[in-house]
Amino acid sequence: MLTYRTAGSGPPILLLHGAAEDIGLLTPQAEAFAARGWRAIWADRRGTGTGPRGDWPAGGVAGHADDAAHLLEALGATPATVLGFSSGGVIALALAARHPALISEAIAWEPAALGVLPGADEIHAGLLAPIRAHLGEHPGDWPGAYRVMLDVLSDGRADHDAPVVQAMRRNAEAALRDDAEIITRHRFTALPADRVRVAVGAGTDPLHGRIAEHLSALTGRPPLTVAAAGDHEVYLHHPD
């Protein structure tokens, strides 16, 4: 059973965190939903924080989606709205595909679904090359490799001293072994169009924009653009 928290009352909404995040980092966002009339549910994903490590990371995206389904069923929280952030958005989409009866809607916020892009294997390998090189030279240095990953994704502009980034370092191994290596490579060939929506910020970067376009082609629904969202991790920096 996943370590989870709940807050508020009303229709259930399950929040699925992204890479290197955990139950603590998502608490302000969950509480913001609870304050607006939702029954917010959030948890440490398998392998992250206090999450179990059985069949991890071998269970892949399907394993995470099934974990989320079991949690919703155990809490009697179905059908639920599911909101997944970044790599958590990939899991939200997989949950909708694998367990459509358990959800009313799955919203994927700028999902890190590289696998849907043309040339996905080459893109993925290029992004991970410097991270794998670091681990080859420094085996087991997950915090150091996570620093490299942030630099790659931000073109060297990452603020490594930011409190949120420092908090994320405790989940560096999970971010690299699972999210980076497995979750982001997941390929979708079909999605239940009546139950999923991809959302992006007005200032989304080109890579997330391309992913959103390809996912939307599977559903026939255009991405939902949130004008007030200026960065990928708006849910952490400005949860209200």
Side-chain angles (χ1 to χ4, degrees):
M1 185 68 170
L2 302 178
T3 299
Y4 69 89
R5 296 178 188 168
T6 67
S9 59
I13 182 168
L14 174 65
L15 308 181
L16 298 172
H17 65 75
E21 297 161 13
D22 55 29
I23 197 170
L25 284 167
L26 215 54
T27 292
Q29 178 70 99
E31 291 176 342
F33 274 101
R36 288 161 174 78
W38 293 85
R39 177 190 177 192
I41 303 164
W42 68 113
D44 279 332
R45 289 202 272 112
R46 185 177 296 266
T48 300
T50 59
R53 289 207 166 194
D55 191 30
W56 181 86
V61 172
H64 287 298
D66 291 350
D67 281 345
H70 295 152
L71 178 61
L72 289 174
E73 290 179 314
L75 295 178
T78 62
T81 297
V82 180
L83 174 56
F85 305 101
S86 194
S87 54
V90 180
I91 297 166
L93 295 174
L95 175 60
R98 292 176 65 82
H99 304 279
L102 300 184
I103 66 167
S104 54
E105 185 176 30
I107 304 165
W109 170 256
E110 298 194 349
L114 290 172
V116 303
L117 296 176
D121 290 341
E122 292 77 10
I123 295 170
H124 188 263
L127 289 172
L128 263 66
I131 301 165
R132 290 168 174 166
H134 178 89
L135 288 170
E137 296 174 3
H138 309 280
D141 179 20
W142 304 113
Y146 181 64
R147 184 185 184 95
V148 173
M149 184 176 82
L150 290 183
D151 284 337
V152 169
L153 295 177
S154 68
D155 292 326
R157 297 189 300 271
D159 180 2
H160 296 286
D161 295 322
V164 168
V165 173
Q166 292 181 1
M168 286 177 166
R169 287 198 188 105
R170 61 180 176 249
N171 300 307
E173 181 184 359
L176 293 159
R177 292 183 60 198
D178 194 354
D179 298 77
E181 288 285 355
I182 299 174
I183 295 175
T184 56
R185 297 178 67 183
H186 189 75
R187 285 179 165 85
F188 292 99
T189 56
L191 289 168
D194 61 330
R195 295 179 190 268
V196 301
R197 194 70 184 266
V198 175
V200 297
T204 189
D205 66 68
L207 183 60
H208 283 121
R210 288 172 57 203
I211 291 171
E213 289 175 1
H214 282 276
L215 286 172
S216 293
L218 293 178
T219 66
R221 302 179 71 187
L224 173 65
T225 300
V226 182
D231 66 273
H232 181 62
E233 293 174 342
V234 63
Y235 55 96
L236 298 180
H237 304 309
H238 303 289
D240 284 334

